Amino acid sequence: MNSSYSQSILRHNQLLWWLCVLSFFSVLNEMVLNVSLPEISSDFNQSPASTNWVNTAFILTFSIGTAVYGKLSDQLGIKKLLLFGIIVNCFGSVIGFAGHSVFPILISARFIQGAGAAAFPALVMVVVARYIPKGNRGKAFGLIGSIVAMGEGVGPAIGGLIAHYTHWSYLLLLPTVTIITVPFLIKLLKKEEIVKGSFDIVGIIYMSVGIVFFMLFMTSYRISFLVISILSFLIFVKHILRISNPFVDPALGKNVSFMTGIICGGLIFGTVAGFVSMVPYMMKDVYQLSAAAIGSGIIFPGTVSVIIFGYIGGVLVDRKGALFVLTTGIAFLSISFLIAAFLIEATPWLMTIIVVLVFGGLSFTKTVISTIVSSSLKQEETGAGMTLLNFTSFLSEGMGIAIVGGLLSIRLLDRKLLPLYADQSAHLYSNMLFLFGGIILISWLVTMKVYKRSQRNF
């Protein structure tokens, strides 16, 4: 019996180790190319609107795929889906590296990578819940959370160093490391019983078309793309209202507190993601920093600080309440954007402090948005509601990156509003930072108003 128990523990530990590898590379793949965006833009002679699709393409299929894999896990089995995701992710990596000199191939490869990598966050937590003993699940979830935070932290630094000393195309090969997990997962994951059920493929197609064309509109500003996007969303809404098992539960749309948390949270997350995608361009244009300096010196300290701020935010929610933590996080974000707007030419290392505060504010607001959204849901709505929150959080990040790329390209905000800067390139970034601060404050005001009203009604 002791031998059997020891073998079971060893099996669980091995499985947890390989899940950590998958979790690390799924997040690393999202962040690692960010610091190389200016170099990619220069190599292909593309505007930021087009270049940012290197990240947007990945996040788009990543966000949609996360929801799809989660819904398919009971019908097709975790083992098959996880192995499928690994193979697709690695295939996209090889295609991207082999065809990195052709821009459409690069973007297509990032779509493929995102479609594969989406399986990791969607299924890893389900595997832990099903395979790890109940007494050890807390430690397992904590370990995977730490690994994810580490991936977010070291991603920019690794990306900057590899791009600086070799070439950014080699970053596309990093996810292929996950292929080593395949034989171990085949051995460690059991064969599962398949549950028959319907899956709303039509709804996913309508929604995906609407999202893609909206992002295309925000990067090219072609009215035809906006028309297609609106029509697709209208058809999608009509579709989910008339079928029994829709991809998105329309009943959630009637919950004002829930929808406010989703929309305002999405605006905050998208703004921060857009800011982070803008930092490499800003540091390159204003200070002529290398990818290694941007990744290691500017972005890396901020991404690492997420671990500390995330813990502090969780403690403060219990002690001071959600509204206090939300206000603190918003203060970090808005004040940071305003300071950066006024002092953008002061020193590049000021931006290191700004990025740390921005990621700190993001950690606080993410904690609170999750709390607000979950508390606004009935018990039977929790699963669908939190899945939708995760989906919209990822999606808003992709939208934020696409929108910022479009604004950097059309130079709509390239006006001398502040007579402080001699460098023409500083005007655009300063105005963008003012815009970010305004969006954050408006989102906070709306969230506070609706949340307080819901508390009184409750």
Side-chain angles (χ1 to χ4, degrees):
M1 183 174 178
N2 289 335
S3 176
S4 176
Y5 177 76
S6 299
Q7 288 179 355
S8 176
I9 293 296
L10 179 61
R11 183 188 185 93
H12 295 151
N13 289 339
Q14 288 176 343
L15 180 58
L16 184 59
W17 160 252
W18 295 117
L19 294 179
C20 286
V21 172
L22 292 179
S23 300
F24 176 81
F25 280 97
S26 69
V27 179
L28 185 75
N29 201 15
E30 179 184 350
M31 295 290 295
V32 78
L33 277 166
N34 191 60
V35 296
S36 298
L37 291 177
E39 188 176 343
I40 296 172
S41 178
S42 177
D43 286 353
F44 289 105
N45 194 27
Q46 296 281 349
S47 67
S50 299
T51 307
N52 277 17
W53 272 91
V54 170
N55 276 351
T56 299
F58 178 88
I59 296 176
L60 179 61
T61 50
F62 186 83
S63 58
I64 296 173
T66 300
V68 171
Y69 282 115
K71 285 185 173 290
L72 284 176
S73 60
D74 290 330
Q75 298 176 31
L76 298 180
I78 297 173
K79 185 174 183 177
K80 289 180 181 178
L81 289 175
L82 202 53
L83 295 175
F84 174 79
I86 294 169
I87 293 169
V88 170
N89 189 30
C90 292
F91 176 72
S93 299
V94 173
I95 291 295
F97 179 74
H100 73 270
S101 59
V102 182
F103 193 69
I105 294 179
L106 174 63
I107 299 300
S108 299
R110 291 292 282 171
F111 273 116
I112 297 171
Q113 279 187 322
F120 306 156
L123 301 176
V124 162
M125 294 304 184
V126 180
V127 173
V128 171
R130 291 187 183 179
Y131 284 83
I132 304 300
K134 191 173 183 179
N136 296 326
R137 284 177 197 164
K139 293 180 181 178
F141 284 128
L143 176 62
I144 291 174
S146 300
I147 293 296
V148 168
M150 184 173 69
E152 291 177 338
V154 303
I158 291 175
L161 290 172
I162 292 177
H164 182 71
Y165 290 106
T166 56
H167 190 262
W168 58 263
S169 60
Y170 287 95
L171 299 172
L172 294 163
L173 288 177
L174 290 178
T176 58
V177 175
T178 58
I179 200 69
I180 66 175
T181 66
V182 169
F184 299 98
L185 292 176
I186 290 175
K187 179 182 177 182
L188 294 170
L189 293 175
K190 302 173 184 176
K191 189 175 181 180
E192 302 160 287
E193 292 185 13
I194 306 302
V195 179
K196 291 184 179 181
S198 60
F199 187 69
D200 186 15
I201 298 176
V202 175
I204 292 173
I205 293 173
Y206 286 139
M207 184 189 68
S208 300
V209 170
I211 292 169
V212 170
F213 276 92
F214 178 75
M215 288 188 175
L216 287 171
F217 166 72
M218 293 307 301
T219 53
S220 67
Y221 297 97
R222 294 184 183 178
I223 298 299
S224 58
F225 289 158
L226 180 60
V227 172
I228 295 172
S229 175
I230 293 173
L231 289 175
S232 297
F233 279 123
L234 289 175
I235 296 171
F236 171 70
V237 171
K238 184 178 180 181
H239 169 78
I240 63 174
L241 287 172
R242 64 182 178 82
I243 66 170
S244 58
N245 188 26
F247 180 65
V248 175
D249 185 1
L252 293 172
K254 299 176 183 178
N255 188 329
V256 177
S257 297
F258 172 79
M259 292 305 299
T260 300
I262 289 285
I263 294 171
C264 291
L267 285 171
I268 294 170
F269 304 154
T271 300
V272 173
F275 164 75
V276 174
S277 73
M278 188 183 79
V279 167
Y281 293 108
M282 183 166 57
M283 294 294 97
K284 188 83 170 178
D285 288 347
V286 179
Y287 293 104
Q288 293 76 51
L289 294 186
S290 66
I294 296 169
S296 302
I298 305 297
I299 300 180
F300 175 66
T303 51
V304 169
S305 71
V306 169
I307 303 171
I308 300 171
F309 281 110
Y311 174 76
I312 295 173
V315 172
L316 287 177
V317 166
D318 293 334
R319 293 184 179 180
K320 298 288 187 178
L323 294 185
F324 173 84
V325 177
L326 178 63
T327 303
T328 304
I330 293 298
F332 278 6
L333 291 170
S334 55
I335 292 173
S336 297
F337 290 144
L338 291 176
I339 292 174
F342 279 105
L343 302 176
I344 193 172
E345 286 186 320
T347 169
W349 310 121
L350 172 65
M351 194 54 62
T352 302
I353 300 173
I354 296 297
V355 171
V356 168
L357 292 175
V358 166
F359 274 104
L362 178 65
S363 294
F364 280 14
T365 52
K366 270 193 171 182
T367 301
V368 176
I369 291 297
S370 297
T371 302
I372 290 175
V373 168
S374 61
S375 63
S376 67
L377 295 168
K378 299 176 183 177
Q379 186 172 0
E380 63 271 18
E381 297 175 330
T382 302
M386 296 309 290
T387 298
L388 185 59
L389 173 64
N390 290 331
F391 165 67
T392 54
S393 297
F394 287 128
L395 184 61
S396 63
E397 292 177 3
M399 286 188 172
I401 293 170
I403 291 169
V404 166
L407 291 174
L408 290 178
S409 299
I410 64 171
R411 301 280 173 170
L412 178 66
L413 298 175
D414 195 3
R415 302 288 185 271
K416 190 174 182 179
L417 300 181
L418 290 178
L420 301 175
Y421 310 120
D423 188 348
Q424 177 67 28
S425 62
H427 299 152
L428 171 62
Y429 298 112
S430 175
N431 296 336
M432 292 284 288
L433 288 162
F434 275 118
L435 177 62
F436 295 158
I439 293 171
I440 294 296
L441 287 174
I442 292 171
S443 301
W444 170 68
L445 289 171
V446 173
T447 303
M448 291 284 284
K449 184 176 181 180
V450 173
Y451 184 73
K452 285 182 177 179
R453 183 186 299 168
S454 66
Q455 290 292 97
R456 286 198 299 269
N457 292 339
F458 180 78

